[in-house]
Amino acid sequence: SASDSTVLMEMQVGPATIRDCGCTDVPLVRCPPRTPGKHNATSRPEYEPAGFINAADSDVHLYLWAGGCETLLTEGRPLAPGQQS
């Protein structure tokens, strides 16, 4: 409801800014590794590309929620404060 100050949707053009929400962390459920299908460089992707800027005060890893589990987007190293992906 509008009285609990919950953000229901945010529309932003350009990279999404990551901030500390001050909220309670929830358990992470990692997706099993998957084998990507054949890549066709001439076809339109099934997803829209996304960009992120880390405006938090610490390093962050980015995960994509995929209906029951999460896929790590920042393989190798986290985004440092001020870094863009």
Side-chain angles (χ1 to χ4, degrees):
S1 75
S3 64
D4 65 8
S5 302
T6 300
V7 174
L8 299 178
M9 184 174 96
E10 180 177 340
M11 181 68 155
Q12 180 176 341
V13 176
T17 302
I18 302 165
R19 294 185 184 89
D20 182 359
C21 67
C23 49
T24 309
D25 204 1
V26 296
L28 177 66
V29 178
R30 296 285 303 265
C31 294
R34 61 186 181 116
T35 305
K38 255 189 159 171
H39 176 69
N40 180 351
T42 61
S43 70
R44 181 177 170 90
E46 297 177 14
Y47 58 88
E48 291 297 325
F52 302 91
I53 297 173
N54 182 2
D57 292 333
S58 59
D59 292 354
V60 295
H61 280 286
L62 299 177
Y63 290 87
L64 174 66
W65 175 256
C69 62
E70 297 175 74
T71 302
L72 180 62
L73 298 180
T74 50
E75 289 290 342
R77 64 176 195 208
L79 279 180
Q83 186 178 7
Q84 182 172 344
S85 167

